[in-house]
Amino acid sequence: MMAAGLFLCFRILQFNPKICSLFCFPFLLILCLVEGATVSIQRAAVMTVLALLATIFERDYDGLNSWGAALLIVLVPEPLRLFGRSFLLSFSAVLGILLFAPILQKESMRILAWTRKETITYRLLSKIIDTVSISFSANFLTAPFLLFFFGNLPLLAPLSSLLILPLLPLIMVLAVSAMVMPFSSLAS
């Protein structure tokens, strides 16, 4: 998400998409080193790198192929990761999103057929549908692992996503700003 935010910032500044992608690579590497190379970070980094490469080489990005490539890259050096909690939860959540979110979103958008696409109501409801669809999709494939590992299932997670996800971009911008601010005083 941080790389996507950085990419978007460069696009707002009217940078070429290929240049934006190139600027994101060092940031992504630094982020991986700062966060630690956990399984979920490795998966996200591989999938992001493949998305950036698709932009650079003007190719279509395929989430399922990227998911499969990430799976191989994470498992080849250490195959026993397959049985780890973080591996199972991270990869199953993303697979659930890739497989089920588009279907849920498409079917749910039929509900909005009564309203015009230009209206604020339509935009707000479509964002809510997107958020809930993604959350349900991720929870659908992680549910068996959550029950197995932790013995319970967070049933309110899709609803809590409605409250947290809209605030996430603001939180991320504030966090990055807080990290950069100490260095801006050194420049003056």
Side-chain angles (χ1 to χ4, degrees), residues 124 127-128 131 160-171:
L124 179 64
K127 292 291 183 193
I128 291 171
T131 302
S160 65
S161 296
L162 283 174
L163 300 173
I164 300 299
L165 290 180
L167 298 174
L168 202 54
L170 176 64
I171 293 168

Side-chain angles (χ1 to χ4, degrees), residues 109 112 115-117 119-127:
M109 292 306 280
L112 297 181
T115 185
R116 293 191 332 257
K117 290 184 179 182
T119 63
I120 293 173
T121 304
Y122 179 87
R123 282 186 256 154
L124 179 64
L125 290 175
S126 67
K127 292 291 183 193

Side-chain angles (χ1 to χ4, degrees), residues 100-150:
F100 303 118
I103 297 166
L104 286 173
Q105 289 166 339
K106 182 180 174 185
E107 294 302 318
S108 299
M109 292 306 280
R110 291 182 185 186
I111 297 168
L112 297 181
W114 57 271
T115 185
R116 293 191 332 257
K117 290 184 179 182
E118 308 86 42
T119 63
I120 293 173
T121 304
Y122 179 87
R123 282 186 256 154
L124 179 64
L125 290 175
S126 67
K127 292 291 183 193
I128 291 171
I129 287 171
D130 286 348
T131 302
V132 172
S133 297
I134 290 169
S135 188
F136 272 115
S137 299
N139 285 326
F140 182 69
L141 286 188
T142 58
F145 300 116
L146 290 171
L147 286 171
F148 178 76
F149 289 126
F150 304 110

Side-chain angles (χ1 to χ4, degrees), residues 20 26 28 30 34 73-74 80 85 96 102 104 116 122 137 143-144 150 152 165 179 187-188:
C20 295
L28 187 61
I30 291 168
V34 168
I73 290 169
V74 168
L80 291 178
R85 290 178 185 179
L104 286 173
R116 293 191 332 257
Y122 179 87
S137 299
F150 304 110
N152 63 24
L165 290 180
M179 290 188 310
S188 53

